[in-house]
Amino acid sequence: MAIFKGAGVAIVTPFKGDFSVDYEKLTELIEFQIKEGTDAIIICGTTGEASTLTHDEHIAAIRHTVSVAKGRIPVVAGTGSNCTDTAIFLSKEAEKVGADALLIVTPYYNKATQKGLYEHYKAIAESVKLPIILYNVPSRTGMNILPETVVKLANDIPNIVAVKEACGNISQIAKLMSLANGKVDLYSGNDDQIVPIMALGGIGVISVLSNIAPKQTHDMCRRFLEGDLTGSTQMQLEAIALVDALFCEVSPIPVKKALELMKMGNGVLRRPLTEMEQANAEKLRKAMSDYGLL
């Protein structure tokens, strides 16, 4: 059974002016997402600036999200690391505090071989009972999980059940789904490819766009799953300019600025991320206005 179908939000981690985690604001954002129909909360992912959270903050953010969600929708915890032992530690802690599933990015910087990737994921999966979503995002990690490796992991390890694909290569994703033969649940990791990836057998998206347009992203997926391909496609096309603006600088810089423009955040980022360039902020403001968010 799928962890979720539809739109999962890769939620931001809000910070106060002193750069500490703002749990009150995080509660507000989670409640907003649930009210607007989001199908899952993904906490402490790339968009959540997990790489700048301490271990204590990381675990506390997962615990808080589970507490606020109260079982209304699944909570997927990002627990990946380029150190296998660290990923195991975070995964075990996420399981202890009640996460429903784990999202585990490929080990960045190390650039493991496919054999190394297999052993990395195998060790993590065997340390917990939770279902695991592999996360493939070569543009950030310098590492690509090949379709054959994904399928081998899913065949060999029962709790590796899904993949978030942000490789951008539709041909690779098509090959993956052909080889998987229904064994792997597929989520889009790119907001401009939600419908194309669902057309290849995907069951939803883990989305940055959902931070500011949760209902629209949910409805795009829902329409596709209900067979309204024309309506879903139209919603995808209508979102393209906004998605482009949300990624005109490295995420989550633009989406935090977008939440600030919507008066739902203060835009604070942890270094090395910095304030959005003014010209890009204006591009984002226009795209949000054209989309009806401002």
Side-chain angles (χ1 to χ4, degrees):
M1 188 166 134
I3 297 165
F4 72 93
K5 291 185 178 181
V9 61
I11 201 164
V12 302
T13 301
F15 299 123
K16 299 178 182 179
D18 63 0
F19 302 104
S20 62
V21 177
D22 189 339
Y23 291 103
E24 183 176 345
K25 177 58 66 175
L26 180 57
T27 297
E28 292 176 13
L29 294 176
I30 293 167
E31 291 293 352
F32 168 67
Q33 290 293 323
I34 293 174
K35 179 184 175 185
E36 293 293 300
T38 290
D39 300 290
I41 303 287
I42 292 80
I43 184 72
C44 294
T46 304
T47 310
E49 295 175 78
S51 59
T52 62
L53 298 176
T54 67
H55 288 346
D56 286 347
E57 289 173 331
H58 197 132
I59 297 159
I62 297 167
R63 181 189 295 110
H64 184 81
T65 303
V66 170
S67 175
V68 174
K70 294 185 176 72
R72 288 175 288 175
I73 58 175
V75 172
V76 180
T79 56
S81 172
N82 66 336
C83 171
T84 304
D85 286 347
T86 300
I88 289 172
F89 167 74
L90 291 173
S91 297
K92 286 181 174 180
E93 292 300 312
E95 186 171 49
K96 288 178 188 175
V97 300
D100 297 292
L102 306 175
L103 176 70
I104 301 179
V105 71
T106 54
Y108 37 87
Y109 190 76
N110 305 26
K111 298 186 74 171
T113 63
Q114 295 299 302
K115 179 182 177 182
L117 280 176
Y118 179 89
E119 294 297 335
H120 176 77
Y121 279 114
K122 182 175 183 288
I124 297 166
E126 290 179 344
S127 74
V128 294
K129 295 179 181 177
L130 294 178
I132 288 172
I133 305 171
L134 310 179
Y135 181 16
N136 192 32
V137 57
S139 64
R140 281 194 179 258
T141 65
M143 183 75 260
N144 186 27
I145 314 177
L146 296 180
E148 294 83 355
T149 305
V150 174
V151 173
K152 180 172 173 54
L153 283 164
N155 282 332
D156 292 354
I157 304 163
N159 58 328
I160 292 181
V161 299
V163 59
K164 174 187 176 183
E165 261 297 353
C167 69
N169 185 338
I170 292 294
S171 296
Q172 176 175 313
I173 296 168
K175 181 178 181 181
L176 164 63
M177 296 308 282
S178 174
L179 293 174
N181 195 29
K183 184 74 175 179
V184 178
D185 287 333
L186 172 67
Y187 298 103
S188 174
N190 290 330
D191 285 314
D192 60 350
Q193 294 182 337
I194 299 171
V195 172
I197 286 177
M198 291 185 76
L200 291 171
I203 58 173
V205 61
I206 295 176
S207 171
V208 173
L209 174 64
S210 282
N211 279 280
I212 59 170
K215 184 179 187 303
Q216 295 91 327
T217 312
H218 164 81
D219 287 351
M220 189 191 308
C221 295
R222 177 185 56 80
R223 287 188 179 191
F224 190 97
L225 293 169
E226 291 177 353
D228 180 8
L229 307 190
T230 300
S232 181
T233 299
Q234 184 59 34
M235 292 190 76
Q236 174 77 88
L237 296 176
E238 289 171 353
I240 292 297
L242 177 56
V243 172
D244 285 348
L246 283 173
F247 290 92
C248 68
E249 290 189 23
V250 69
S251 187
I253 293 174
V255 73
K256 278 202 160 179
K257 171 59 72 174
L259 286 166
E260 182 182 2
L261 292 172
M262 294 171 71
K263 304 190 185 309
M264 295 176 63
N266 59 9
V268 173
L269 301 139
R270 280 190 177 173
R271 289 183 292 271
L273 302 184
T274 55
E275 177 75 11
M276 197 173 189
E277 297 291 338
Q278 188 58 40
N280 288 332
E282 288 305 316
K283 174 183 176 180
L284 175 62
R285 184 191 300 272
K286 181 180 186 307
M288 292 175 67
S289 179
D290 291 347
Y291 195 71
L293 296 178
L294 295 178

